[in-house]
Amino acid sequence: MLKNRFLVWPLVIGTFVLILFDATSDFSRTFIVLKSILELYLFVWCAYLITTAFGQSQESKKVIKIRKKSKYFNSLALQGIAIVLAQLALVYHYDDIYSFNTVMIAVLFLYFLSQITENSYPKVMLSNTHIGVSDFQMTKIPWNEIQIVRLEPLKLTIQTSSLSKSVSLTGLEEFSNDDVEKELAAEILDGSVASEGTSHTLSQLLKIYADKKDFDLQSTL
């Protein structure tokens, strides 16, 4: 999904080129196709983020939210703005700017913006079966494939035989314990976890999983 920029920018540029060379508005059918594709892009992104968030809440027992905005946020927001400008230019050139098309574009853009804002902070998710990293795109790595987990003050690295996944930390991660298992709560939580809110909590959680799932945890915390 994050590679869609290679589709977005040619579409946006192509839209303005079409308008420039179609001064008499003859290509009305092309207008409909282009407008639909641009709207579909915003809709698909919204559906993808909603579906991903639902899957995370169903599968993850513990969620650590990283207090640093994703590096992809500005790029996605810029793509959304470019798409909206291209759509408005199409509507203005081929239709009426005060038509329902403009309302639809505005609604889709506002919903798209709200979704990328809500998902703008990466998360590390822990479950009985896998560790997950969500940064607008979900990566799930089964525990039985993990060889090494390296936790540093500002970086988490997960290494398997086929990949190495790194996540930047801030040292002030937010820990959500809404669905924490009772045995985990009894083992490491004393009621002060919400006030701790640091990567030290992540270290404690990973140590428990390392003991249970038998992978090498290298922590400098």
Side-chain angles (χ1 to χ4, degrees):
M1 287 292 290
L2 292 173
K3 294 182 179 180
N4 285 346
R5 65 183 183 278
F6 297 114
L7 171 66
V8 170
W9 294 113
L11 274 174
V12 169
I13 293 170
T15 297
F16 285 106
V17 169
L18 171 70
I19 293 171
L20 182 64
F21 284 95
D22 187 25
T24 55
S25 303
D26 292 331
F27 304 143
S28 57
R29 188 171 299 177
T30 306
F31 151 69
I32 295 173
V33 172
L34 269 176
K35 186 178 72 70
S36 299
I37 291 174
L38 293 170
E39 288 175 349
L40 186 63
Y41 173 84
L42 296 178
F43 178 80
V44 168
W45 252 114
C46 291
Y48 173 77
L49 291 174
I50 292 171
T51 304
T52 301
F54 179 77
Q56 293 168 6
S57 64
Q58 292 294 306
E59 296 177 358
S60 301
K61 296 295 184 183
K62 290 153 286 293
V63 178
I64 294 87
K65 183 179 179 181
I66 299 168
R67 291 186 178 184
K68 183 179 181 181
K69 199 177 286 291
S70 170
K71 63 181 180 181
Y72 300 113
F73 175 77
N74 290 338
S75 175
L76 286 171
L78 185 60
Q79 288 177 37
I81 292 170
I83 286 173
V84 167
L85 291 176
Q87 288 179 308
L88 290 176
L90 278 172
V91 172
Y92 179 78
H93 189 71
Y94 288 98
D95 194 16
D96 182 2
I97 197 66
Y98 298 107
S99 67
F100 177 74
N101 282 323
T102 302
V103 176
M104 176 63 71
I105 293 166
V107 169
L108 276 174
F109 175 67
L110 289 175
Y111 196 55
F112 170 78
L113 194 60
S114 69
Q115 285 299 313
I116 64 171
T117 301
E118 186 175 340
N119 291 273
S120 60
Y121 292 93
K123 301 180 186 72
V124 177
M125 290 150 290
L126 308 172
S127 80
N128 289 331
T129 59
H130 64 268
I131 182 171
V133 177
S134 176
D135 189 5
F136 286 112
Q137 185 169 289
M138 180 67 170
T139 301
K140 294 193 296 185
I141 306 173
W143 292 115
N144 59 9
E145 294 182 8
I146 295 175
Q147 296 176 336
I148 301 171
V149 173
R150 188 175 296 107
L151 182 61
E152 304 169 52
L154 297 177
K155 188 177 183 181
L156 171 67
T157 303
I158 306 163
Q159 187 173 324
T160 71
S161 59
S162 59
L163 66 84
S164 180
K165 180 74 176 179
S166 295
V167 185
S168 296
L169 304 174
T170 65
L172 293 170
E173 309 345 306
E174 293 180 350
F175 176 70
S176 171
N177 63 334
D178 292 339
D179 299 314
V180 177
E181 299 163 289
K182 292 181 179 178
E183 63 272 20
L184 180 63
E187 190 167 356
I188 69 164
L189 303 182
D190 59 3
S192 64
V193 65
S195 63
E196 290 177 10
T198 67
S199 295
H200 185 59
T201 302
L202 178 56
S203 178
Q204 291 175 304
L205 289 168
L206 287 173
K207 186 176 187 309
I208 291 172
Y209 277 94
D211 293 339
K212 289 181 179 180
K213 306 299 182 180
D214 193 29
F215 59 85
D216 182 17
L217 173 63
Q218 300 175 0
S219 176
T220 59
L221 297 181

